[in-house]
Amino acid sequence: GKYLEQLAEKAILKNLKFPIAVRKGAISFSGPCTAAMRFWQKQQADKAEIAYGVLNTVAISLYRSLRYLAKEHKIKQLLLVGGVASNKHIRDYLKLNLQKYNVAVYWAQPEFSADNAVGCAVFAKREWNGEHA
């Protein structure tokens, strides 16, 4: 969340890497999570460096997944919502790297992406009113 992002911004070296596991668009975070927990438990790296490594791992994993899915399904535009879409590092990474593949990425302002409660509320309102998305 935002606290992880704030901690990651304090990282100086930004070179801690965790394994990336993306296969045919499916992401597994079990390996990266285990690696990050080991660093944390053994205090092998500064907390800010671990936070940056975690966010970078999420960004790279999402990029690889979205790149695969965009190519596989000939997608040229993506709308990303939810908590992950509010993270500046992840947003910047996806925008920079997906544009190399002519994939445009759109998202709401970060304050409206903090979690997907806004989207759920909109869908609930539409359903309540008999409107279908």
Side-chain angles (χ1 to χ4, degrees):
K2 79 175 185 181
Y3 300 110
L4 184 67
E5 184 174 13
Q6 290 171 354
L7 182 59
E9 288 173 359
K10 297 176 184 175
I12 296 169
L13 298 176
K14 300 181 180 181
N15 61 1
L16 189 59
K17 307 239 186 282
F18 298 120
I20 307 291
V22 179
R23 185 174 178 203
K24 293 187 177 183
I27 301 171
S28 172
F29 286 120
S30 64
C33 181
T34 299
M37 291 301 292
R38 284 189 186 136
F39 272 90
W40 181 269
Q41 291 168 347
K42 295 180 180 180
Q43 298 179 349
Q44 293 176 314
D46 179 71
K47 291 177 184 178
E49 301 296 330
I50 295 171
Y52 183 85
V54 167
L55 287 182
N56 206 45
T57 298
V58 171
I60 294 168
S61 298
L62 282 172
Y63 161 69
R64 290 183 184 177
S65 176
L66 294 172
R67 182 186 69 193
Y68 171 84
L69 293 169
K71 183 178 178 183
E72 187 74 14
H73 299 284
K74 296 177 177 53
I75 296 170
K76 293 295 179 188
Q77 296 179 329
L78 293 170
L79 173 62
L80 301 178
V81 297
V84 173
S86 70
N87 183 281
K88 182 178 178 349
H89 176 76
I90 294 171
R91 289 165 64 116
D92 291 347
Y93 189 92
L94 292 176
K95 182 178 180 181
L96 175 69
N97 288 286
L98 287 171
Q99 74 183 7
K100 295 175 189 174
Y101 292 88
N102 296 318
V103 177
V105 184
Y106 303 96
W107 37 67
Q109 295 172 349
E111 59 268 23
F112 299 120
S113 294
D115 64 36
N116 64 1
V118 173
C120 291
V122 169
F123 283 116
K125 179 187 175 292
R126 287 180 180 170
E127 189 67 28
W128 180 266
N129 291 334
E131 306 166 23
H132 298 287

